[in-house]
Every structure is written in C-alpha cells, then in structure tokens.
Amino acid sequence: GFHLSGTVTEPATATEPEMTYKVAISFDRCKITSVTCGCGNKDIFYCAHVVALSLYRIRKPDQVKLRLPISETLFQMNRDQLQKFVQYLITAHHTEVLPTAQKLADEILSSNSEINQVHGAPDPTAGASIDDENCWHLDEEQVREQVKLFLSQGGYYGSGKQLNSMFAKVREMLRMRDSNGARMLTLITEQFMADPRLSLWRQQGTGITEKCRQLWDELGALWVCVVLNPHCKLEEKSCWLRQLRKWGEMDVCPLEDGNYGNELPNITNALTQSSGHGQDSLARPRRTVFTRAIEGCDLHWQDSHLQRIISSDFYVSPSYQREGESLLFNSQGQPLWLEHVPTACARVDALRSHGYPREALRLTVAIINTLRLQQQRQLEIYKHQKKELLQRGATTITNLEGWVGHPLNPIGCLFLTLTEACRLEEENCLEISDAGDSKPPVYQHVPVVTGSQDSGESYLSLALEVALMGMGQQRVMPEGLYAQDKVCRNEEQIIARLQDLELDPVLVQTLRKQCILLLEGGPFSGLGEVIHRESVPMHTFAKYLFSALLPHDADLAYKLALRAMRLPVLETTAPSGDVTHPHHLVSVVPSRYPRWFTLGHLESQQCELASTMLTAAKGDMLRLRTVLEAIQKNIHSSSLIFKLAQDAFKIATPADSNSDTTLLNVALELGLQVMRMTLSTLNWRRREMVRWLVTCATEVGVRALVSILQSWYSLFTPTEATSIVAATVMSHNTILRLSLDYPQREELASCARTLALQCAMKDPQNCALSALTLCEKDHIAFETAYQIVIDAASTGMTYTQLFTIARYMEHRGYPLRAFKLASLAMTHLNLAYNQDTHPAINDVLWACALSHSLGKNELAAIIPLVVKSVHCATVLSDILRRCTMTAPGLAGIPGRRNSGKLMSTDKAPLRQLLDATISAYINTTHSRLTHISPRHYGEFIEFLSKARETFLLAQDGHIQFAQFIDNLKQIYKGKKKLMLLVRERFG
C-alpha cells in the first residue's frame, strides 16, 4: 500500500560501531506524509536514514516488493488463518503489543463499545481518501524549537546563517508549490514575535540589532511573497491576513523603518504625492514589517491584461491600434504594466518564488518597457523645463520612494529574474559549499522572446539596463539610520552582482546608452545636471560606471564620474525655491542635514571615487587638472583630502620605477590645500600632515621646497615652519635626496633663513631658538636673529625661554651674549622663600657661575638681580659658597687682566649677597615657626645649623647669630619642647 518500511545500516567508522535503524515512511500522492526512524533524529529536515530508504525506493523500484494494503491481504484469509496471524503477531512482539491486544479484545467483545459503533477498521497502509489534505511531513515542534534556539543565541555562533537557511528552505518549498511553505513561515514568525528581546528593545527605546533587523526584513518580504501566490485559495488568504493583522497590532512588532516610535516616518505610495504638507507624524499610519504583506492581500491576479502578459510571449497590440497614446502597449505594440513599480516587482518575485519562472520573465519585460517609456517621457518634460531649472540651479522634482534600499528590493528582484534566465549551469555545480569558494556565475545571452519584430535584445542586457536605471534614479535620502544604511547596503549588493557580468560588446553598448540617458536625464536622474539638495549621492554607483566604461569610452567615463562628485547636502542650505511651491512633488524642511546618519560613509565613498579617477588619470595632465578641480570644489573634509593626497603620492612614486611628475604635482597641490584648511583649526593629525607635505615637496623637487618656504605664512604656524619645515629642508638627508649643487643649496638655505627671521619676529617665544639655529652659518642673519631675541626679551619672553637661548649662546661660544640674556632672564624670575625645589634653580646657579667665570664686573652686575629675584635662603647660600671657592674671571676673556685672588664676603659685590642670604634665613625661620608641627623639629634644627654657617661668614657673624637665637627664645617661648632643642644645640 502507501507505507514503506525497511532497515538502514550505517557502516562502522573509526569511532562508532555499525548501526542498524528501522525506518517507516507513509506517502500520499507523491508526497511523504509521515516518517519515523529508530535514530530518534530531532531536526526540521529528514535524517539520512529516511532519505536513504526513499532514494532506494526511487532508484530501485523493482527491488522493493510492492504489496497490497494490509486490509486487502487480511480480507483474503479465513477464520483459522486470521486466528493464526494474530497469535503469531502477538508472540513476535508480545512485550510491546500484549497490553494493546488485550484492550482491543475487550472492546470488540463488548457490544456497546465505541469500536463497535464504526464499520470496518483503520489501515495505515491504505493511503488517504481523495478529499483529504495531502502535504509533506513537517515536524512542527522541531521548527519551533530550532527557531527559538537560534534566536536565543542572538545572532552569534552562525545562528543568523542558520535562520537564513530556514528562510531559504521556505523559498524552496514555495518554489516546489509545497503547501508547508506558508505553514513553516507561520511557525518561524510566531517564534520571532515571541522573542523576549523585542519588549526589552522597546522599553529601552533602542533599535533592533543590525543582524536581527535584516532577518525581520527577510521575514516581511517572504510574507509578501506568500500572500501574492497567484494560485492560493481565498480562505487561505483571509486566514493569513488575520494572522498578519494580529502580529502587526502587537506593540512589540518591529516597524518597517527600523525604529520604535513614529518619529521617523516612511512616506510610501500609500500617501498621495500631492499631500506634501500634511505629513506630520500623527497623520501617518504605523507601518510594521508586516504592513506591506497586509497591503499585498488586497492585490489580485484577475486583471485580464495582466493575465495575457504572463501567459504568453506573443501578446501584442493589434497593429491598427498603434497610433496615439495607449496605457496598455508601447508604440512597438509590446504590453506595458503601469503599476506602482515596487508593487509590480513584488508580483515578479512572487511568480519567481512560486515556481513560475517563465511568467516572472514576461512580467519583468513588460515592467522594463514601461520604465523605458517613463524615462523617455521624463526626458521630454525636462527639455521643456531645462532653462528654468538650470537658472535656479536646484530642483524640487525627485522620487520620495527610492527603489534602491526599498523594503521590497524591486531592482534586485528584476535583475535576479533576468540573470537567472541567462545562467549557464555547470554540470557538477550542485550547492555552493560553506567555505565561500563560490565561483562567480557564468552568463550567456538569451534572446528576449517577443511577439513584435525581433528586438535583438537579450535578457542579460535587460538585466544590466534595469540595474542602471534603478541605481541612477534620483531619490530623496530616506529618514532614519536604518533606512539610510539599507540604501548603502542594497547599492553595494547590486554592484557586486553587476561585477559578475562579463562586459561583452552588447553589454558595453547597453552601458553606454544608459549612461548617456542618465547624464541627460535632468532631475529624474541622480546623474542629471540639476538634482535635489537631499538627493542620495551617486558616488558608489559612479565608481562602478567609471571603471566599467573606462576601457571603452574614457570621455564618457570621466564626464559621468565628475558629474557624480557633488554632494549638495554639504553645500549651502536649501534654496528658497525648494519650499515655496506647494504643487511640487516634495516639500522638504530647508535644512535637515544633521539627520544624514550615513554622511561619514558617503563622504568616504566620494573620496574613493576621486581616488579611482586620480589613479586612472596618472600621466594625463589635462584629466588630472579636471579631477583636481572637482576634488577642490566638492570635498569638504580635510582628512579625506589628505587621504587623497597620500593616495596620489603612493601611486605617483612606485617602488620599482620612476616617479610620475603629473600625479606628484596633484598630490602636492592637495597637500597644500589641506595645510590651508587646517591652519587655523585644531587637527590631531596636523604634525603628521606637515611632515608629509615636506616629504611630498621634496619628491617634487627644489622649486616646490623654495615655494613652500616662501609662502609659509599661509600654510604653517611659525613653530611648524621653523621646527619642522625649515629644519627638515635643511637636514642632511634632504640635501642628499635632492643631490643639489652649491647654488641650489645656497638658495634653499637663504629661503630657510628668511623664513626663520620672519617666524622669530612673529612668535619670538616659540621660534627664537630655532631661528638662531637655522641662521648659524650666516653672520648677518644670526646677528639679526639675536637682535630679535633681545628686543623681545623685555616683553614677550619667559625666563625659561631666555635661559635656554642663553645656554645655547654659551655653547656656541658667545659667553658675553649668554650673560646678557641670563641677566634679562633673571629680571623675569621670582623665587619665594619656600621654593627650594623650583626648576629654575639650576638656571640661576648656571647664570651665577657664568658671571663669576667672566669676571668681577659681571658678577657685580648679576648679584643685585639675584638678590632682587631669589628669596630662598638655601639657594642664596649655595650661590655664595660657590662664589667664594674660586677666583673670578677664569673664562679668560681676551684683553682682560685677572688678579687671580679669591673674593672677600666683606667687600662688594659679595657683601650684598651675604646680607641678603642672612636676611633670607631670618625671614624663612619666622615663616616656618608660625605653623610648625613637632615631627618637623629635627629638620628645623638642621636648618638653623645651615643658617649659622652663613652667619659666620660675616665679620661679626657669631654675635649676630647669638642675638638671633636669643630673639627666637624670647618670641617663641611657648614652644617649650622646641626651645629646649634649640638650647641643647646652640646654647
């Protein structure tokens, strides 16, 4: 009958022994309706043993004995045979069967039992009756469990991949017209709706994660497919509609545009296009991921024109009707289908998905013929408005609903339908392996079958044409991060598919023709002369077009790519013309620019397009000029222009061959622009940019270096100009790299010196030292730099800067100048009594040592300055000690006589220093005693010992110190413990 049973042996492996499994399969009208297997497999797919038994029956039907249903066999037995049969059956399985056999026997012997009310008995091998539902076996519990498990893993461990493969399974079921497709999708959706994360995301107001969003999108798209099944029964459709509405009304149901809450509306064809003003968020209905499927339930397939389109390749208008306008046919008599484009494409997807590829193709051709006609009409409209639009420089005409990034993916759907018809299937290409080593598909031209005269077109050239039309459509940037992100993703997917096409002469012709139409298309094309300010940029698309066209028509390629370089949303605010005319298709608030969430990505795509053109134009000065102008006009981010400059530099200086001067000059020019853009703004990469520019100018040559040195003030800060630019230009490496002759070296050096002096004048604090260093080899320049420092010393410079330059002067062999600068530095300094660890102490000690080594006069000049600026007793006593250890004037300045005698502290200038030191000790002592704690007593006694050493340098020092101690005992007699310590040490 309809029951297949068998045993399947799984051979032994290295780890597992041989296993045998009992398998039973029921089937009905070529479908497997139930399975059981001893392996206990839990999965939504059949186990290998069920598959093995099924294949054995399919491939070797003659090896499987075909028997009548068991009821027929029993019918042929007499009373004794039946008795024997039952007893043997019970004996063979007595442990499992005996209780059931006893129960059945009791029921049969009881006259009023339920079993005796029914005629006959069931037979599992007899098959179903003709009226029964027949569908493939689907383990519903397993579907639920698996989806729940994958969702709980939150997109990790490849669970997203698993869910996608379940969606693919649903599509496969639909294509085989297996009624379980919708059932399985229902089970999947129920689990998705029960995902606990939904309410969590809603409470937190955060969007759904990216991976999860894409799965929800696919779920919504699949439902559109299911409800558009051209042959589903009405009761099925109304059952789905009830379910979809129930899900859509749940508050956790994700919204179509990826946000919770209605703040970011999605304007769809549900709104009439003229109601541009009343689109406040309250008036907009809430659109969930199921809304399009719910709307799809209203669509039907009964339209007679539609039926004729999909049922015949040869449906054309009668020739006598071809004059004048017609909504059903074009002028060649080919049928048109004038439905809202995404909806029409959803029909194509449904036909394709439900296993009607021929019908899908026919409808696709009708849609493309309609799009072509619209394109022609839009061109004509634009020709009439061209003058006015070009004068205004902007347009309000644009599509509110873009086809790229649309939830129904209309362009992708048409492209796939057409390319599938042209795919060359390789013999052994079954399934693509998971390793991702999928070879790109191979296509061939398949002529379009039409009823009118031979068009000479192929489905492949139509695929290319419709992809270009869709990508080139001018459309407003949708609202919300998710919708904007989807635009980018969908665009990249379509381009990836386009790159699989080998461009032969036929496709090149299609490409050229469509590109010309896009350039001339006015406001209906994203590559037209005038576009809306909020228009989705065309950079990614143009980059593909440029690379594809370049080998065949370079002029057209550049024209297109240059046109696409613009990014109007970053230009000015919207012109007033945009908002004032209520009859225009779209009215947009003047500046919604901050809501372009993907702006960073779009700008980097603009940069990629520019980089592609620069690379291609290498060596062609004229083309490089135009590309450079486009970059300077359209790119507004300094870091992106810097990236382009670096790219151009890399391409212009290959490691294995000579530099390309044309491209090098472009790199330099872009670098200079970056310098000007970032000169007055803070940029964390500024140092890197400056260094790079010098490297680039060095590659270009000596003229470029001279030029940047001469115009430094418009490119660099004075500090950058002296410490990085001039220093690098004058370095040994640069001289070697350029292999300059003497006059060239002199010219560079002279420019660097001029720069150094200008910078020192402008910013002496930060540039004086660099300027002196750069001018070392030229006496006049060096003198000028020194004079600038002296002039600035009194007002604009700190003691640290002056000490640094003073030390530099001493190091260069100018001790007297060093002394002058050190004296100036001293006048800016003030060291309080308690600053005994101040960083300037070393400078003060050095300045005094320098003066001492120069002679008595210099020391006499600096000591009053020291006394005025330094009030710290320990520092003063240190200076005093050093000055008394050796005789002054040991530096041996020519023309000076030195006595070689040590100096006395009784006479000027050291007397003044001694007095100041003693007085500093006295003041510091009183200051320290006002708030001293017992733990500092020991340290204080040591301090007094140091003070005594200084007091004793004076003639009556011991008397002075004794008076000082008595004084302390008198004033601070309250600090008994401390005074006891003072007595013990000093009497």
Side-chain angles (χ1 to χ4, degrees), residues 309-339:
I309 289 173
I310 63 178
S311 56
S312 163
D313 285 321
F314 303 108
Y315 173 42
V316 292
S317 68
S319 50
Y320 59 83
Q321 284 183 358
R322 297 196 186 165
E323 296 305 311
E325 288 281 297
S326 156
L327 291 176
L328 302 180
F329 302 94
N330 64 15
S331 56
Q332 286 85 48
Q334 295 164 316
L336 303 172
W337 182 243
L338 287 162
E339 194 171 26

Side-chain angles (χ1 to χ4, degrees), residues 485-626:
D485 199 49
K486 207 162 155 188
V487 169
C488 302
R489 257 206 328 275
N490 194 201
E491 191 172 35
E492 279 157 14
Q493 285 160 354
I494 298 172
I495 287 173
R497 295 224 167 98
L498 284 174
Q499 281 164 337
D500 287 341
L501 301 181
E502 288 266 326
L503 292 182
D504 59 12
V506 178
L507 292 182
V508 168
Q509 194 185 348
T510 307
L511 178 71
R512 285 189 54 183
K513 184 178 162 198
Q514 199 52 43
C515 285
I516 291 164
L517 282 170
L518 286 172
L519 281 171
E520 291 172 356
F524 302 97
S525 152
L527 292 162
E529 281 179 272
V530 275
I531 52 169
H532 189 278
R533 183 172 170 273
E534 299 279 319
S535 197
V536 171
M538 294 277 139
H539 309 127
T540 315
F541 179 40
K543 187 178 143 194
Y544 162 75
L545 293 177
F546 179 78
S547 303
L549 272 173
L550 196 63
H552 311 287
D553 187 341
D555 287 343
L556 184 58
Y558 278 101
K559 187 174 180 188
L560 231 152
L562 289 164
R563 169 81 56 87
M565 272 294 289
R566 61 201 168 182
L567 188 50
V569 78
L570 289 184
E571 306 298 334
T572 53
T573 51
S576 55
D578 264 25
V579 199
T580 48
H581 306 300
H583 61 270
H584 276 113
L585 293 185
V586 62
S587 140
V588 177
V589 188
S591 180
R592 197 229 32 191
Y593 149 59
R595 302 223 297 260
W596 278 48
F597 297 99
T598 50
L599 193 60
H601 171 74
L602 297 171
E603 283 192 281
S604 69
Q605 289 301 303
Q606 182 189 33
C607 178
E608 287 285 303
L609 173 61
S611 185
T612 308
M613 283 197 281
L614 283 176
T615 310
K618 178 177 172 177
D620 184 334
M621 205 52 233
L622 219 64
R623 289 233 197 268
L624 281 173
R625 270 284 132 217
T626 38

Side-chain angles (χ1 to χ4, degrees), residues 60 101 288 307 422 890:
K60 301 186 175 174
T288 71
Q307 283 298 328
C422 304
L890 294 180

